[in-house]
Amino acid sequence: MVSFSENRRDLLFIALLLVSVPIVAGLSVALRPVRVRVGRDFRPNLVSAGGQTTELLTVENVGVQPLSGVRWRETGPMGTTPMPRDLPLPPLSGLGGAWGRSGGWDGFGEGPDAAARTVRLEFPLAPHARGRYEYGPVVLARSDPFGLVMARWAVGGRHELVVTPRVTPLPGRGHASMLGGGEALERQRLLNQNSDELIAREYRPGDSLRRVNWPATARHGEIMVRQEEHRSDSGVRFVLDTLAPAESGAREVDRARRASAFELGVEVAASVCTHLLAAGYRVDVVELGPAQLGTARLGRASNGATAATDAAPLGATGLGGSPVAGNGAGGTAGSGDPVSYRGSGGISHLLEDLAGILQVPAEARDAGTGEPNGPLAPPRSRVPRGALPTFAVLGAGAALDLAVLAALAASARPAIAFVLEPVPTDASERLREAGWRCIPVRSAIALPEAWLDSVGGRGALHEPA
């Protein structure tokens, strides 16, 4: 208005310039949208807590125009490794090929093919706690040449990184003298040629002549070969306590101590079960709380998984058993059956399941819910029939179901409980009276010594041939 009233064209020009610059800046950003395709991968995609993995991002320009002047940052969960923020994205050529051929570029610096359509960005991640963490999307930002307007785009989906519990190596490869089975005994059975271990069947093309059973051939009048009649494979039961005592009126320090004890219990479970699986045993895991194991892998193909069958309610006679299980995890999530693990595939499935397991309030035991992370399956209230060597990790204190544990001990040969700090002395005494051998565990460092104590010292360990 002043410029019009006083005929000051210079002021009018400056005013129009100041108004038009932000408009032009906004148009320059709006008319140059970012069109990219983002891929994400972790190598390895299964990492132990405290370990390190590498996140690999692949950014491809799918627009016609070249892409330059863009900055990027990754989004991830709070409390993990700091994510790269506001880093420059190398220039990318468009589909028109204005900046040369298609190719790739590695790292954060200038590469020999920096103007390709695709760029690969790598950076390390070191999660310190177990869990399932979601990363993504990538946020791209571009500003106008004057830095007046900034536009951001969230591109790409989310990708889950599974962080498994730490596994403490335990001495020895098994204790066949104590459990009566495992890899060593199975090998002895295969090498044993006693008649009560063998059955004869008709010869089939491809059978070795060294397996011809001549007495059976003479009796039947046709060629018969020896076939090993395998006994039921050796199994171990592991009881996992996921219950938490009532938190009403509990101090913050008490809640922190219980949470720390639960994490130690998960590490004990991972270490002991991994050790037994590596020694050739099948491990049947029973949860005292609502069923969680296996639920995160619903919908995925299980490598040879079969459900544990012939089950009886907890507290009935004849607990324990030997379900048929494949090279992986068995049991239907939420069915009430124990989850069975076996072989190398069972180790990875077990650790993946333990990565996301939660401590739930004792009140959720019968309700089948485990807030705050949503509903869980009903409690696993059945275990297969038959006596099995049984290990347990217990840390719920007053929330322990001593009647259930007593029933388990009655069918366990032996029954060994790794007792954590929250379990009071009187509860430990009642467990001993029920037949459990209670071994205190206060830290992961003490776990190897506790394991030696559980198997009766070094003399009880048996190294498979």
Side-chain angles (χ1 to χ4, degrees), residues 4-200:
F4 279 108
S5 61
E6 299 184 3
N7 198 20
R8 296 289 301 273
R9 295 185 177 182
D10 52 344
L11 294 179
L12 179 60
F13 174 77
I14 295 175
L16 292 176
L17 181 63
L18 293 176
V19 172
S20 61
V21 166
I23 297 176
V24 173
L27 291 175
S28 68
V29 173
L31 296 178
R32 295 188 302 160
V34 172
R35 298 184 59 193
V36 299
R37 182 185 296 116
V38 175
R40 181 183 290 99
D41 193 17
F42 299 103
R43 298 181 181 176
N45 57 7
L46 200 68
V47 62
S48 175
Q52 182 169 303
T53 185
T54 299
E55 181 174 353
L56 173 62
L57 288 175
T58 303
V59 182
E60 179 186 4
N61 183 18
V62 296
V64 177
Q65 299 298 323
L67 186 64
S68 62
V70 176
R71 307 184 74 84
W72 69 278
R73 64 179 176 89
E74 172 67 307
T75 57
M78 299 293 293
T80 59
T81 306
M83 296 290 99
R85 299 181 62 88
D86 297 328
L87 298 177
L89 187 72
L92 300 176
S93 63
L95 292 176
W99 285 351
R101 57 190 173 87
S102 174
W105 178 90
D106 294 299
F108 295 104
E110 291 295 330
D113 195 13
R117 285 180 49 217
T118 303
V119 61
R120 292 188 298 272
L121 309 169
E122 298 183 11
F123 50 92
L125 297 175
H128 64 276
R130 68 174 182 88
R132 298 177 177 274
Y133 301 101
E134 284 192 343
Y135 290 84
V138 174
V139 177
L140 301 181
R142 172 190 270 170
S143 64
D144 68 285
F146 302 103
L148 299 177
V149 178
M150 173 75 71
R152 291 183 173 86
W153 297 266
V155 294
R158 296 179 179 272
H159 197 111
E160 184 181 69
L161 174 64
V162 178
V163 182
T164 64
R166 293 179 178 89
V167 174
T168 300
L170 302 179
R173 292 185 59 194
H175 36 75
S177 61
M178 181 179 181
L179 301 184
E183 182 183 27
L185 187 56
E186 186 66 21
R187 290 182 180 179
Q188 293 172 5
R189 289 173 180 169
L190 293 178
L191 294 176
N192 187 4
Q193 299 299 314
N194 293 334
S195 58
D196 59 343
E197 290 283 342
L198 303 174
I199 60 175

Side-chain angles (χ1 to χ4, degrees), residues 255-301:
R255 288 193 292 266
R257 187 176 71 253
R258 290 169 183 169
S260 177
F262 179 71
E263 292 303 317
L264 174 60
V266 174
E267 184 171 339
V268 171
S271 302
V272 172
C273 292
T274 297
H275 182 78
L276 293 170
L277 287 168
Y281 295 93
R282 188 195 71 251
V283 178
D284 301 337
V285 181
V286 179
E287 298 171 74
L288 294 183
Q292 301 181 61
L293 297 179
T295 55
R297 292 183 287 107
L298 286 176
R300 303 182 191 178

Side-chain angles (χ1 to χ4, degrees), residues 275-455:
H275 182 78
L276 293 170
L277 287 168
Y281 295 93
R282 188 195 71 251
V283 178
D284 301 337
V285 181
V286 179
E287 298 171 74
L288 294 183
Q292 301 181 61
L293 297 179
T295 55
R297 292 183 287 107
L298 286 176
R300 303 182 191 178
S302 181
N303 185 13
T306 54
T309 58
D310 192 22
L314 278 176
T317 58
L319 300 178
S322 301
V324 179
N327 182 23
T332 305
S335 66
D337 296 324
V339 179
S340 298
Y341 302 89
R342 184 179 179 182
S344 58
I347 294 178
S348 60
H349 285 164
L350 169 74
L351 295 177
E352 185 178 353
D353 287 346
L354 291 177
I357 200 164
L358 303 172
Q359 190 175 31
V360 297
E363 294 80 4
R365 174 169 42 200
D366 300 321
T369 59
E371 298 296 338
N373 286 349
L376 300 174
R380 300 194 189 280
S381 58
R382 301 187 299 165
V383 291
R385 301 180 184 277
L388 280 180
T390 301
F391 294 88
V393 56
L394 306 176
L400 287 176
D401 194 332
L402 297 177
V404 168
L405 292 171
L408 285 169
S411 64
R413 302 292 186 274
I416 299 174
F418 297 102
V419 179
L420 307 180
E421 186 177 2
V423 177
T425 304
D426 59 339
S428 297
E429 291 298 330
R430 294 181 62 184
L431 288 170
R432 290 188 180 94
E433 293 173 0
W436 288 92
R437 182 183 176 194
C438 297
I439 300 175
V441 179
R442 295 295 179 262
S443 67
I445 298 177
L447 182 55
E449 189 65 29
W451 173 253
L452 286 176
D453 189 12
S454 72
V455 298

